Amino acid sequence: MEDRPYLSIIVPVYNEEKNIDALLDRLYPVMTATGQSFEIIFTDDGSKDSSLKILREKSRELPEVRIIEFNGNFGQHMAILAAFELCRGEIVITLDADLQNPPEEIPKLIREVEAGHDVVGTVREKRQDSFFRLLASRIVNITTNRMTGMQMSDYGCMLRAYHRNVIDNINRCKESTTFIPALAQTFSANPSEIKVSHAERVEGASKYSLYRLVRLNFDLMTGFSVVPLQLFALFGVVTALLSLGFAIFLLVRRFLVGSEVEGVFTLFAILFFFLGVVIFGIGLVGEYVGRIYQEVRRRPRYVIRNVYGFKE
Ligand code: UDP
Ligand code: MG
């Protein structure tokens, strides 16, 4: 394998027709300036606009550009995983297509990997997203670190670099829903984090609706930890103990003061609160059962319709 490139750049693309040109215009000079051999793999995640057409034109012009065409929309993480399986670089870098991650930061990531770090994460400085997204991310970052015992300051930033060893291990995982930064972290012996700048999306809108973000974060919580289940069990134990204490108090009170009749609606309120908690618990267990169900079906995680520009 003489012609293995040293660097693989991976870009998931979903309806980004207005961004591809601008991205390549900035990415290409950065890559040639490294002086290393490289490949740029775009996964077209079932775009409905002309993204694929533009990409194919580009791949005819530029020998380093390769394309994976998906059969439908399987999501950003699947798009990246598919490219992980086909990429051959020693250092692999993922990047968003919308230019929110400046390509100019790539040499910094390469230097970190060359310094011996097998996973290099990034923290977005002065992140340019809506207030709601920032708040949600903060909550997710803190709770995920607590629950998984990992240490990462910014789970959402997909400008990341990985060493070949980590990529090979990720490729051995066949789980059908996943969250790549967390998955990589579990295989990393020596991770590091650097600060990168962050820009506003140039063209088009974010592909993540509130619902998709919630789904993604459920995957993150339940896919990497059973702490939610354990916390829930713990809560059950504490509630039972408190109730027992209260029952004993009421019994004693009955002998000393007499029986009480008021407070029926207080009882309702308390009851409904706990009903809510119980339903939440069933839902939580359901999340795990759902994941197990998905895994045992063993359906393909994504379907590739075609690839372009890959050498045999
Ligand atoms: N993306 C994708 N499939 C999807 C959603 C997004 O390949 O189903 C790509 C998208 O084209 C972009 C990257 O993933 O390159 C990040 O998406 P986006 O910018 O919408 O996410 P945000 O920056 O809002 O988190
Ligand atoms: Mg974006």
Side-chain angles (χ1 to χ4, degrees):
M1 286 305 215
E2 296 280 294
D3 57 349
R4 267 173 171 264
Y6 181 60
L7 306 167
S8 293
I9 308 294
I10 291 175
V11 190
V13 173
Y14 181 54
N15 296 343
E16 305 277 7
E17 57 182 4
K18 296 214 180 80
N19 292 321
I20 295 167
D21 267 316
L23 173 69
L24 276 171
D25 283 348
R26 281 173 61 186
L27 182 59
Y28 227 77
V30 173
M31 296 316 294
T32 31
T34 61
Q36 302 281 4
S37 55
F38 65 93
E39 63 181 355
I40 304 176
I41 304 179
F42 288 96
T43 306
D44 176 57
D45 188 14
S47 297
K48 293 177 187 69
D49 63 2
S50 56
S51 297
L52 183 66
K53 195 172 137 261
I54 299 173
L55 286 173
R56 291 202 58 191
E57 278 160 21
K58 289 288 169 194
S59 83
R60 276 188 283 265
E61 270 169 48
L62 308 167
E64 290 88 356
V65 170
R66 320 198 193 303
I67 306 164
I68 301 171
E69 182 192 349
F70 271 6
N71 211 357
N73 183 237
F74 292 89
Q76 181 184 6
H77 290 262
M78 287 304 139
I80 294 174
L81 285 182
F84 276 178
E85 292 196 2
L86 293 181
C87 75
R88 297 182 313 138
E90 186 69 17
I91 298 176
V92 179
I93 294 163
T94 58
L95 176 79
D96 283 353
D98 58 3
L99 285 169
Q100 287 198 280
N101 312 133
E104 291 75 21
E105 306 275 9
I106 289 176
K108 266 199 237 168
L109 290 169
I110 298 173
R111 276 198 293 279
E112 279 290 295
V113 179
E114 285 172 343
H117 297 288
D118 49 6
V119 172
V120 183
T122 51
V123 186
R124 291 169 279 194
E125 255 181 331
K126 304 202 195 75
R127 189 172 159 196
Q128 304 292 320
D129 274 318
S130 64
F131 171 76
F132 160 74
R133 285 287 296 262
L134 296 184
L135 183 73
S137 289
R138 268 197 93 97
I139 297 171
V140 167
N141 290 334
I142 293 169
T143 46
T144 312
N145 278 338
R146 277 278 168 79
M147 285 186 184
T148 58
M150 297 178 192
Q151 270 315 317
M152 233 191 289
S153 334
D154 191 351
Y155 279 87
C157 189
M158 293 304 285
L159 175 61
R160 284 168 179 274
Y162 309 92
H163 187 263
R164 172 54 48 191
N165 293 339
V166 174
I167 297 291
D168 287 341
N169 280 316
I170 292 179
N171 286 342
R172 286 162 58 199
C173 302
K174 301 294 179 200
E175 57 208 57
S176 52
T177 49
T178 195
F179 194 83
I180 293 166
L183 187 61
Q185 201 76 355
T186 59
F187 294 123
S188 170
N190 187 12
S192 111
E193 260 182 351
I194 61 172
K195 285 194 164 62
V196 295
S197 58
H198 189 240
E200 252 175 272
R201 197 175 229 286
V202 185
E203 292 285 347
S206 171
K207 308 295 180 291
Y208 283 99
S209 61
L210 177 60
Y211 176 72
R212 278 188 91 166
L213 281 176
V214 171
R215 290 274 356 133
L216 195 67
N217 287 310
F218 262 99
D219 285 344
L220 181 55
M221 299 292 169
T222 60
F224 289 90
S225 147
V226 289
V227 171
L229 284 179
Q230 290 165 343
L231 284 182
F232 201 78
L234 195 68
F235 179 77
V237 171
V238 172
T239 313
L241 287 177
L242 286 178
S243 306
L244 185 68
F246 191 50
I248 293 171
F249 165 75
L250 286 182
L251 189 72
V252 174
R253 185 177 184 267
R254 195 186 182 96
F255 285 121
L256 297 182
V257 193
S259 65
E260 78 294 329
V261 278
E262 278 170 58
V264 182
F265 286 98
T266 318
L267 182 64
F268 265 115
I270 296 172
L271 213 57
F272 279 131
F273 169 72
F274 282 108
L275 197 63
V277 174
V278 170
I279 294 172
F280 170 73
I282 295 172
L284 187 65
V285 174
E287 277 290 322
Y288 286 94
V289 175
R291 290 185 73 84
I292 297 169
Y293 171 61
Q294 260 174 351
E295 296 305 334
V296 295
R297 277 190 306 189
R298 299 222 152 271
R299 299 214 178 131
R301 301 185 290 174
Y302 49 79
V303 181
I304 296 177
R305 184 185 290 158
N306 227 325
V307 296
Y308 308 95
F310 287 91
K311 295 179 205 89
E312 292 319 310

